[in-house]
Amino acid sequence: AQSVTQPDIHITVSEGASLELRCNYSYGATPYLFWYVQSPGQGLQLLLKYFSGDTLVQGIKGFEAEFKRSQSSFNLRKPSVHWSDAAEYFCAVGAVESQGAQKLVFGQGTRLTINP
Amino acid sequence: NAGVTQTPKFQVLKTGQSMTLQCAQDMNHEYMSWYRQDPGMGLRLIHYSVGAGITDQGEVPNGYNVSRSTTEDFPLRLLSAAPSQTSVYFCASALFGNQPQHFGDGTRLSIL
């Protein structure tokens, strides 16, 4: 079974600073990896996904993530954060099982606070 | 295009009551799922469906029932609510197997 660890529960950065959110996964085969963002009181919005191919993937809102198989990591980055990026971020690993069932396992989430 | 719609947004129940959380999607997605979100635990899969008439259990299915009579709807039933089921519930759908899931805005449920 797959698992995901987000080591940082809460991160605070200054507006304009760079950001890196960590994600480590455990899965026996090539995983499907996702980053979602959740604003307060809202559902989850997909930022980016990795299925195969280029290990550096670009997402919405200026985010990118790099898949590193040797480190079992899929860290999320942004070169310069904006106050509107304050939210909770979830990393997830997916596996497609019988009959096309997609089993998503989520990390615990990282809450991002932006200092003005 | 509404996407994934969940109703109600908020609900308070007493222990032992039953209720149904509604989920509908208008994207003709085959795959639908229910998650619960609890502080510090991320989202955990309750039940899922790969198409009309087909459902299966996820990681935390106890106390919940589902059915899938149409492609569009995937209701979640609490048969006898317990305080441990106080949570935020999210419904999601995907086109098929490995495609990203689209989430509803959630139902915040409190069991007293």
Side-chain angles (χ1 to χ4, degrees), chain B:
Chain B
N1 190 348
V4 179
T5 302
Q6 291 184 238
T7 56
K9 294 190 183 304
F10 303 94
Q11 185 71 47
V12 178
L13 293 178
K14 295 181 179 179
T15 297
Q17 287 185 313
S18 63
M19 83 159 293
T20 299
L21 279 61
Q22 302 292 343
C23 175
Q25 52 92 9
D26 61 0
M27 298 173 282
N28 203 31
H29 285 173
E30 289 296 322
Y31 183 82
M32 296 186 74
S33 54
W34 277 101
Y35 297 86
R36 60 177 289 173
Q37 183 180 28
D38 302 293
M41 302 188 73
L43 280 77
R44 292 179 293 168
L45 182 64
I46 304 172
H47 285 285
Y48 64 93
S49 169
V50 298
I54 306 170
T55 65
D56 206 345
Q57 296 180 350
E59 180 186 357
V60 288
N62 292 341
Y64 307 95
N65 277 359
V66 292
S67 60
R68 184 98 178 268
S69 56
T70 67
T71 299
E72 295 77 20
D73 301 299
F74 190 44
L76 178 73
R77 280 182 285 276
L78 282 70
L79 302 177
S80 179
S84 61
Q85 294 177 304
T86 293
S87 187
V88 182
Y89 292 84
F90 288 98
C91 179
S93 72
L95 188 57
F96 53 80
N98 65 356
Q99 294 303 301
Q101 296 189 25
H102 298 255
F103 285 81
D105 287 339
T107 294
R108 187 175 296 274
L109 182 62
S110 293
I111 315 292
L112 304 178

